[in-house]
């Protein structure tokens, strides 16, 4: 139910904190690939299967999905004023993001395993 | 000079329309309001506009001039692009021609409790402030409540009944930063009670852009958010900016 209470100041803070994390991750990720690009699939796979890398990447996607939830929910609050339509759109949105999250976790589960 | 002016009289017109007026400027026509009043006096006395002080202090002649909100009385008419399109403040219900109904705007203003809240016994004379405490009110107390900012704010367009709007939030900040007020915590809590009152603001800064007094409601909103996080900021007032010329 934490997502439901993600309003006002907390949502605003989470939006900014996740943005900062994503920016840092993208910069470091790209820097790593520019400075020392993996030469083969095995090297790339090795890089992505380290425990630290998996944790950082999963956190990146968690930040992305949370950021997207706050942002898209804002769009719904701004433009969709019919309560019934909101009641359909918001759960659909949440469901879509949860499905994406599950898919991402599954991919990393496979890599890790 | 060529003017295209929004006309709507709900007693006679089914829908609004734009009416063209052509008038030769006289040497006494300095500001846009001078010309609007001359059009009204000479060409069409049914043209309706609200105005009072005619010197940029009362804020009653705020209208949309060539797509941008401003005060007719302090807008140099000779610098305007022709045809000069004059419309009532966007998103406010039209009463007639250039006059809008500001009830919703005032309702939001009143909702922030625009007065000092202090239950301590009053001193013999007055509640004093140090010069530094007084300085914190700079950039917010000067608001003339013309509505230019709120009318040009998309967040107010989408949620006018629930989002306080830039003018109301600037005033909220004015009382939050007042050393004599004792309700800071309640005020901050009230603005954070739902996702609408403060947090519909997306910081696009139209409010700051159009303020005819050069004030910065978006900066005030940022300061309120920081106060919610217990960050005091620099302690000084809000900087004012140069008002761009309406063209």
């Amino acid at each position: 139910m934490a997502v439901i209470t993600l309003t006002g100041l907390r949502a605003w803070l989470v939006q900014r904190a996740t943005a900062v994390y994503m920016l840092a991750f993208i910069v470091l990720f790209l820097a790593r690939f520019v400075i020392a690009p993996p030469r083969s699939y095995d090297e790339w796979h090795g890089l992505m299967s380290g425990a630290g890398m998996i944790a950082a990447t999963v956190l990146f996607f968690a930040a992305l999905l949370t950021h997207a939830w706050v942002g898209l929910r804002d769009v719904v609050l701004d433009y969709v004023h019919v309560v019934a339509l909101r009641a359909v759109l918001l759960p659909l949105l949440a469901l879509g993001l949860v499905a994406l999250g599950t898919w991402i976790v599954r991919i990393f589960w496979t890599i890790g395993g | 000079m060529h003017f295209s002016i929004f006309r709507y009289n709900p007693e006679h017109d089914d829908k609004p329309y734009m009416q063209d007026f052509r008038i030769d400027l006289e040497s006494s026509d300095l500001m846009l309001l001078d010309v609007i009043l001359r059009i009204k006096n000479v060409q069409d006395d049914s043209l309706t506009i609200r105005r009072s002080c005619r010197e940029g202090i009362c804020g009653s002649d705020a209208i949309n001039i060539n797509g941008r909100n401003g005060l007719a009385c302090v807008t140099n008419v000779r610098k305007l692009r022709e045809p000069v399109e004059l419309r009532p403040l966007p998103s406010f219900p039209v009463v007639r021609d250039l006059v809008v109904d500001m009830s919703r705007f005032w309702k939001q203003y009143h909702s922030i409790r625009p007065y000092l809240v202090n239950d301590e016994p009053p001193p013999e004379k007055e509640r004093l402030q140090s010069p530094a405490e007084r300085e914190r009110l700079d950039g917010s107390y000067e608001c003339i409540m013309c509505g230019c900012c709120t009318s040009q704010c998309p967040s107010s367009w989408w949620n006018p009944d629930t989002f306080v709007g830039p003018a109301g939030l600037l005033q909220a900040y004015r009382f939050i930063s007042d050393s004599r007020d004792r309700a800071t915590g309640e005020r901050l809590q009230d603005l954070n009670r739902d996702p609408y009152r403060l947090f519909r603001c997306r910081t696009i800064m139209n409010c700051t852009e159009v303020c005819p007094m050069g004030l910065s409601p978006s900066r005030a909103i940022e300061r309120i958010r920081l106060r919610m996080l217990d960050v005091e900021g620099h302690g000084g007032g809000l900087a004012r900016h140069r008002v761009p010329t309406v063209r």
Side-chain angles (χ1 to χ4, degrees):
Chain A
M1 285 287 112
V3 167
I4 304 296
T5 59
L6 200 58
T7 58
L9 183 67
R10 202 174 304 155
W12 181 79
L13 255 185
V14 162
Q15 187 82 329
R16 267 123 201 100
T18 50
V20 168
Y21 178 78
M22 286 191 290
L23 184 67
F25 181 88
I26 290 169
V27 169
L28 292 175
F29 195 77
L30 288 179
R32 169 70 176 78
F33 275 72
V34 169
I35 295 163
R39 307 260 169 233
S40 62
Y41 173 75
D42 288 336
E43 206 182 315
W44 152 262
H45 191 267
L47 174 72
M48 295 306 293
S49 359
M53 194 61 180
I54 289 183
T57 317
V58 168
L59 201 59
F60 169 81
F61 283 107
L64 177 69
L65 294 174
T66 314
H67 192 88
W69 166 252
V70 175
L72 292 170
R73 194 202 49 181
D74 272 345
V75 173
V76 172
L77 291 186
D78 277 348
Y79 300 108
V80 183
H81 290 220
V82 182
V83 178
L85 194 56
R86 262 189 199 182
V88 174
L89 277 179
L90 285 175
L92 269 181
L93 201 60
L95 202 68
L97 292 175
V98 168
L100 275 175
T102 315
W103 184 29
I104 291 160
V105 167
R106 210 174 141 242
I107 290 170
F108 280 97
W109 193 267
T110 320
I111 295 174
Chain B
M1 198 165 183
H2 183 188
F3 291 84
S4 174
I5 304 182
F6 178 99
R7 303 300 307 269
Y8 180 58
N9 180 346
E11 287 172 15
H12 302 128
D13 304 324
D14 292 334
K15 57 180 183 181
Y17 62 96
M18 298 300 285
Q19 186 177 357
D20 283 330
F21 292 95
R22 282 173 199 279
I23 190 164
D24 293 325
L25 293 191
E26 292 179 355
S27 57
S28 57
D29 293 327
L30 301 176
M31 297 300 169
L32 174 61
L33 182 66
D34 300 330
V35 183
I36 297 173
L37 292 179
R38 221 151 55 72
I39 291 175
K40 180 179 171 64
N41 292 336
V42 177
Q43 298 189 8
D44 186 346
D45 63 2
S46 70
L47 178 63
T48 310
I49 183 166
R50 192 186 276 139
R51 58 116 179 95
S52 182
C53 79
R54 56 108 185 96
E55 55 190 28
I57 291 299
C58 72
S60 50
D61 65 346
I63 54 174
N64 188 273
I65 308 156
N66 280 345
R68 187 192 169 95
N69 290 351
L71 301 179
C73 59
V74 292
T75 299
N76 186 338
V77 71
R78 287 163 209 276
K79 288 192 173 165
L80 293 174
R81 192 185 63 241
E82 288 184 66
V84 181
E85 272 195 25
L86 303 179
R87 297 171 189 271
L89 288 180
S91 84
F92 286 24
V94 176
V95 174
R96 181 170 159 167
D97 296 343
L98 300 173
V99 175
V100 292
D101 176 3
M102 299 191 61
S103 330
R104 209 159 46 185
F105 175 81
W106 295 121
K107 196 176 152 216
Q108 291 296 357
Y109 171 61
H110 292 140
S111 80
I112 59 104
R113 298 204 286 169
Y115 42 83
L116 286 179
V117 178
N118 190 334
D119 292 333
E120 293 165 11
E124 208 167 304
K125 278 191 178 168
E126 61 218 287
R127 297 184 199 277
L128 295 173
Q129 285 190 300
S130 69
E133 286 168 341
R134 162 61 190 78
E135 201 183 299
R136 268 183 235 150
L137 306 181
D138 285 350
S140 55
Y141 81 90
E142 300 94 329
C143 175
I144 57 173
M145 306 302 294
C146 61
C148 281
C149 57
T150 298
S151 155
Q152 203 106 61
C153 166
S155 296
S156 291
W157 299 345
W158 312 140
N159 291 291
D161 295 316
T162 44
F163 176 54
V164 172
L169 290 169
L170 180 66
Q171 287 311 298
Y173 178 70
R174 182 243 171 278
F175 287 97
I176 285 167
S177 59
D178 195 311
S179 62
R180 298 161 296 181
D181 191 82
R182 294 289 174 269
T184 305
E186 288 167 39
R187 291 181 190 278
L188 294 175
Q189 219 169 5
D190 170 66
L191 293 175
N192 194 22
R193 72 173 187 223
D194 64 29
Y196 291 98
R197 283 177 69 67
L198 173 79
F199 287 95
R200 283 307 84 204
C201 170
R202 311 252 73 83
T203 321
I204 66 159
M205 300 180 78
N206 269 13
C207 51
T208 299
E209 175 75 19
V210 299
C211 176
M213 300 297 284
L215 306 177
S216 185
S218 51
R219 191 68 70 196
I221 294 169
E222 182 197 16
R223 290 261 184 110
I224 296 175
R225 285 167 174 158
L226 291 175
R227 285 297 297 265
M228 286 176 172
L229 294 167
D230 275 337
V231 180
E232 281 287 340
H234 318 296
L238 297 167
R240 289 174 75 171
H241 58 86
R242 219 176 126 255
V243 182
T245 313
V246 180
R247 291 181 192 278

